[in-house]
Amino acid sequence: MNCILKNENAIYYVCGYSNDNCIFLSIEGDSYLFTDGRYAIEAREGISKGEVVIDRDLMTQVSEMIKRYQPKSIVFDPKEWSVYDFDKLSKIEGVVFEAQEDFSHKQRIIKTPQEIKLLKRAVTLGLDAFDGFADFVAGQGIGMDEYRLKYHAQSILSYQGVYALSFDPIVALAHNTAKPHAQSTPQKLQEGDLLLIDGGVKYHRYCSDRTRVMEVGAKMDLALAQNFSSPKMQRVYDTVLKAHDTAIAGAKSGMKANEIDALARDVIVRAGFGDYFVHGTGHGVGLDIHEMPYITQKSETIIEDGMVFTIEPGIYIPNEFGVRIEDMVVMINGRADIL
Amino acid sequence: MNCILKNENAIYYVCGYSNDNCIFLSIEGDSYLFTDGRYAIEAREGISKGEVVIDRDLMTQVSEMIKRYQPKSIVFDPKEWSVYDFDKLSKIEGVVFEAQEDFSHKQRIIKTPQEIKLLKRAVTLGLDAFDGFADFVAGQGIGMDEYRLKYHAQSILSYQGVYALSFDPIVALAHNTAKPHAQSTPQKLQEGDLLLIDGGVKYHRYCSDRTRVMEVGAKMDLALAQNFSSPKMQRVYDTVLKAHDTAIAGAKSGMKANEIDALARDVIVRAGFGDYFVHGTGHGVGLDIHEMPYITQKSETIIEDGMVFTIEPGIYIPNEFGVRIEDMVVMINGRADIL
């Protein structure tokens, strides 16, 4: 299939190398990676498939190459291309550019055993870092504001710069946990606060993703079993945990993604918190932190062995608090195994 | 002017709030910010202009709103929109979507006194962090590899997480400084190495940007006056510094941007290093780390009071070393003042 790729992870997937300024062209059986002179050495060393073309003006080089081959059609993902850049491509005469949404993500939806190994390692690094963060909070966290706590979460998750982060982690306290994607504020950690952390780490470019909450007090860890002084908080936590466990226990290959979403959602709705579960139950994870399959109310994707995704139900009570519990699972032998 | 914005900084500029999933619509005198439920609370708290519309499906809501107003035309920036999202917009009947490249950047090219104050503060924070980094290198840097040095640069520039970084900083040693955008390598800092750092910090979302080099030895700081053991390195450094000083002293409001580029470039060409100055002399800085005006050989932009940009000439001798010196200036009373 003739295709043109612009997304960094899509390109890495097909040729084992990419950077923040490159385009990959697969055309009539040949492959080319276009990038600029800053990356000439590492591109030639890193690529596993195709020829490297170096130039400051990638789009002109790409256009020239396409004209040389005169293909009938080339597939592209309309989500990857800006109107501005695509306008240059579409000026090439005699070629049909065929929009196929998410075609790279669809190729990557079933993970290979090697990819699952890398994801597992990323998850383990993330888990150990969560333990490290809980210890850090227990030892030095009291009185520290959300900005500083997030900084230390970043340091611990990255193993002091050894690993890249999957995304900018979220560390939220008390009522700020009611925002699913809370931004840091100057509020300081106090004894008895609810603390939420959502973060992950990359291993060989594969991402991990995890969320835990805990009450800051005498005994602290980020395990699944948690006790809260507030009965309401305990009830919300137990509901979210039950939704999480129910979805993982009930997920089967062959189900539609929205059936897995329903497993978690039904628990929360039945407990009377349905209005407070304001997002989907999960998303695929791989080279991208968000990829297919999406585990949402609308998603009709059929779940298959080898898919990796998060299960992360949540309940967010405005101006009070929020709870989300997130793990990554891989479908193996028809069932969801926690990574 | 009816317009639709998707870029986070473009949206922040017009309404004082934005996040990573929002669209702003200015239509027939009314304004709307579309975002999803995760951001409902903070969007309503943060917005200074317009009404917040919360929905999971932003594009459908945006389309409905546009249909309700039936405007003749709406301006958009083709660099901000993916082919995929724009395709949904362009299906709305009776509306002309008018592509205007960089129209938000053009609106933001002259900074207000308040913006200059925020930029000045960002620059000062960055300067103090550079001093802190020089002290850190003097005390603990020898033997540390580029990954770790960069990690510590990030920590110091962010004041341990208090401030966001303008961009992922560059810390390069010895021959790695010859790459203008060097990526970290495992090489370790040795006495006598050339060290280059390029980094900045954000203050209330406004960026700073600075580059310095120094020889690692008995006396170390990141001031403009620097001494080098190697006469060649000293000659290159003095040439770059003269180019930097000449451009800043000679820049006047009313000049074209390429005339300012020429002020720096001529010094380097006359010294015989013209082939080794492989990029433009500078770029605008504001909410984006790279914005207008671009100070390049091709840029015809007329420089005016209130513009803020970098002056950052460099000389890069392949496989040997590179030197870049960068400061931010603001045009005031017709002259360039170092921020």
Side-chain angles (χ1 to χ4, degrees):
Chain A
M1 182 181 82
N2 293 337
C3 71
I4 186 160
L5 298 170
K6 205 170 191 302
N7 177 278
E8 212 169 323
N9 285 330
I11 294 174
Y12 179 79
Y13 189 76
V14 293
C15 76
Y17 172 82
S18 66
N19 60 51
D20 62 1
N21 188 38
C22 62
I23 296 175
F24 187 85
L25 179 67
S26 175
I27 191 161
E28 310 297 333
D30 294 335
S31 297
Y32 299 95
L33 180 83
F34 302 83
T35 188
D36 68 76
R38 293 174 300 171
Y39 298 112
I41 298 170
E42 60 183 51
R44 293 205 168 98
E45 283 170 5
I47 198 168
S48 63
K49 177 190 171 186
E51 191 182 309
V52 175
V53 180
I54 299 295
D55 199 88
R56 267 192 224 183
D57 183 354
L58 305 191
M59 287 305 297
T60 300
Q61 291 293 322
V62 167
S63 298
E64 292 303 316
M65 189 66 81
I66 292 173
K67 284 177 200 161
R68 208 173 303 161
Y69 278 85
Q70 298 193 297
K72 282 194 185 136
S73 68
I74 296 178
V75 168
F76 77 105
D77 184 339
K79 292 181 178 174
E80 281 187 10
W81 289 80
S82 71
V83 172
Y84 181 80
D85 283 331
F86 184 70
D87 190 51
K88 293 178 192 168
L89 277 189
S90 62
K91 285 199 170 73
I92 305 173
E93 285 176 20
V95 186
V96 175
F97 286 91
E98 189 189 325
Q100 281 189 20
E101 269 167 61
D102 298 318
F103 77 91
S104 169
H105 276 141
K106 283 174 190 164
Q107 283 172 356
R108 288 145 57 190
I109 194 170
I110 308 279
K111 271 61 183 175
T112 65
Q114 173 61 13
E115 287 182 291
I116 292 167
K117 218 183 260 179
L118 297 175
L119 285 161
K120 175 78 193 162
R121 179 80 183 119
V123 167
T124 305
L125 286 167
L127 178 66
D128 292 346
F130 267 46
D131 288 344
F133 184 68
D135 291 345
F136 171 81
V137 172
Q140 304 171 53
I142 300 292
M144 204 171 265
D145 69 22
E146 286 180 335
Y147 294 99
R148 289 295 177 114
L149 288 166
K150 177 172 148 174
Y151 165 77
H152 288 287
Q154 289 169 327
S155 296
I156 293 167
L157 277 164
S158 76
Y159 292 71
Q160 276 75 47
V162 176
Y163 300 103
L165 301 180
S166 300
F167 57 94
D168 201 26
I170 296 167
V171 180
L173 303 178
H175 64 273
N176 206 22
T177 57
K179 301 174 189 167
H181 272 218
Q183 295 179 337
S184 301
T185 73
Q187 73 169 313
K188 289 177 174 152
L189 182 65
Q190 295 177 344
E191 193 85 22
D193 274 351
L194 187 66
L195 181 151
L196 179 148
I197 173 167
D198 183 350
V201 49
K202 289 188 192 184
Y203 183 70
H204 288 239
R205 298 179 67 145
Y206 282 81
C207 298
S208 73
D209 195 357
R210 179 188 304 274
T211 307
R212 290 288 185 271
V213 296
M214 63 181 178
E215 179 174 311
V216 174
K219 251 191 71 187
M220 265 191 274
D221 63 47
L222 287 162
L224 284 175
Q226 291 289 333
N227 294 310
F228 299 88
S229 320
S230 145
K232 183 173 182 182
M233 220 174 261
Q234 189 71 54
R235 190 153 53 89
V236 166
Y237 186 87
D238 292 344
T239 303
V240 174
L241 183 58
K242 190 175 166 196
H244 163 276
D245 292 351
T246 303
I248 293 173
K252 300 278 181 291
S253 294
M255 274 184 171
K256 287 182 183 170
N258 59 18
E259 294 179 87
I260 298 176
D261 180 87
L263 289 171
R265 197 166 301 275
D266 286 352
V267 172
I268 291 174
V269 169
R270 277 200 304 271
F273 296 113
D275 289 346
Y276 302 131
F277 181 17
V278 293
H279 53 68
T281 292
H283 56 84
V285 183
L287 291 167
D288 283 327
I289 182 65
H290 293 125
E291 53 178 66
M292 300 177 81
Y294 290 94
I295 313 298
T296 62
Q297 287 175 283
K298 288 185 182 172
S299 172
E300 303 268 336
T301 305
I302 304 292
I303 298 305
E304 295 178 51
D305 275 13
M307 290 185 180
V308 172
F309 50 88
T310 66
I311 294 292
E312 50 174 312
I315 294 175
Y316 311 91
I317 304 180
N319 304 314
E320 291 190 41
F321 65 89
V323 166
R324 178 170 64 256
I325 302 172
E326 176 181 30
D327 279 299
M328 276 168 60
V329 301
V330 55
M331 299 304 299
I332 294 184
N333 298 325
R335 293 174 46 254
D337 271 11
I338 294 185
L339 270 176
Chain B
M1 182 180 83
N2 293 337
C3 69
I4 186 160
L5 299 170
K6 206 167 190 303
N7 176 277
E8 213 168 324
N9 285 330
I11 294 173
Y12 179 78
Y13 188 75
V14 294
C15 76
Y17 172 83
S18 66
N19 61 50
D20 62 1
N21 188 37
C22 61
I23 295 175
F24 187 85
L25 178 67
S26 174
I27 191 160
E28 310 297 331
D30 294 335
S31 298
Y32 299 94
L33 181 82
F34 302 82
T35 188
D36 69 76
R38 295 174 302 171
Y39 298 111
I41 298 171
E42 60 183 51
R44 294 206 169 95
E45 283 171 4
I47 198 169
S48 63
K49 178 191 171 188
E51 193 181 308
V52 175
V53 180
I54 299 294
D55 199 88
R56 270 190 221 183
D57 183 354
L58 304 193
M59 287 306 298
T60 301
Q61 291 294 321
V62 167
S63 298
E64 292 303 315
M65 190 65 81
I66 292 173
K67 284 177 199 160
R68 208 172 303 161
Y69 278 85
Q70 298 194 295
K72 283 197 183 134
S73 69
I74 297 177
V75 168
F76 77 105
D77 184 338
K79 292 181 178 173
E80 280 186 9
W81 288 80
S82 71
V83 173
Y84 179 81
D85 282 332
F86 184 69
D87 190 52
K88 293 179 192 168
L89 278 188
S90 61
K91 284 198 171 73
I92 305 173
E93 284 176 20
V95 185
V96 175
F97 286 91
E98 190 189 326
Q100 281 190 20
E101 268 168 62
D102 300 318
F103 77 91
S104 169
H105 276 140
K106 284 175 190 163
Q107 282 172 356
R108 287 145 57 190
I109 195 170
I110 308 279
K111 270 61 183 174
T112 65
Q114 173 60 13
E115 286 183 291
I116 291 167
K117 219 183 258 180
L118 297 175
L119 285 161
K120 175 78 193 162
R121 180 78 184 120
V123 167
T124 304
L125 287 167
L127 177 66
D128 292 346
F130 267 46
D131 289 342
F133 184 68
D135 290 346
F136 171 81
V137 172
Q140 304 172 54
I142 300 292
M144 205 172 264
D145 70 21
E146 286 180 335
Y147 293 100
R148 289 296 176 115
L149 286 167
K150 177 171 147 175
Y151 166 76
H152 287 287
Q154 290 169 326
S155 297
I156 293 167
L157 276 164
S158 76
Y159 291 72
Q160 276 74 49
V162 176
Y163 301 103
L165 301 180
S166 300
F167 57 93
D168 202 26
I170 296 168
V171 180
L173 303 178
H175 63 274
N176 206 21
T177 56
K179 301 177 191 161
H181 273 220
Q183 294 181 335
S184 302
T185 74
Q187 73 169 313
K188 290 179 173 149
L189 182 66
Q190 295 179 342
E191 192 85 22
D193 274 351
L194 186 66
L195 181 151
L196 178 147
I197 172 168
D198 183 350
V201 49
K202 288 187 192 185
Y203 183 70
H204 288 238
R205 298 179 67 146
Y206 282 81
C207 297
S208 73
D209 195 358
R210 178 188 304 274
T211 307
R212 291 288 186 270
V213 296
M214 63 180 180
E215 179 175 311
V216 174
K219 251 190 72 185
M220 265 191 271
D221 63 47
L222 288 162
L224 283 175
Q226 291 289 333
N227 294 310
F228 299 88
S229 319
S230 146
K232 183 173 183 182
M233 221 176 261
Q234 189 71 53
R235 192 152 53 89
V236 166
Y237 187 86
D238 292 344
T239 303
V240 174
L241 184 57
K242 191 175 166 196
H244 163 277
D245 292 351
T246 303
I248 294 173
K252 300 279 180 291
S253 295
M255 275 184 171
K256 286 181 183 171
N258 59 18
E259 294 178 88
I260 298 176
D261 180 87
L263 288 171
R265 197 166 301 275
D266 287 351
V267 172
I268 291 174
V269 169
R270 277 200 306 271
F273 296 112
D275 288 346
Y276 302 129
F277 181 16
V278 293
H279 54 68
T281 292
H283 55 84
V285 183
L287 290 167
D288 282 328
I289 183 64
H290 292 125
E291 52 179 66
M292 302 179 78
Y294 290 94
I295 313 298
T296 62
Q297 287 175 283
K298 286 184 182 173
S299 172
E300 303 268 335
T301 306
I302 305 293
I303 298 304
E304 295 178 53
D305 276 14
M307 290 185 180
V308 171
F309 50 88
T310 67
I311 294 293
E312 49 174 312
I315 294 175
Y316 310 91
I317 304 180
N319 305 315
E320 291 190 40
F321 65 90
V323 166
R324 178 169 65 257
I325 303 172
E326 175 182 29
D327 279 298
M328 277 167 60
V329 301
V330 55
M331 299 305 298
I332 293 184
N333 299 324
R335 294 173 46 254
D337 271 11
I338 294 185
L339 271 175

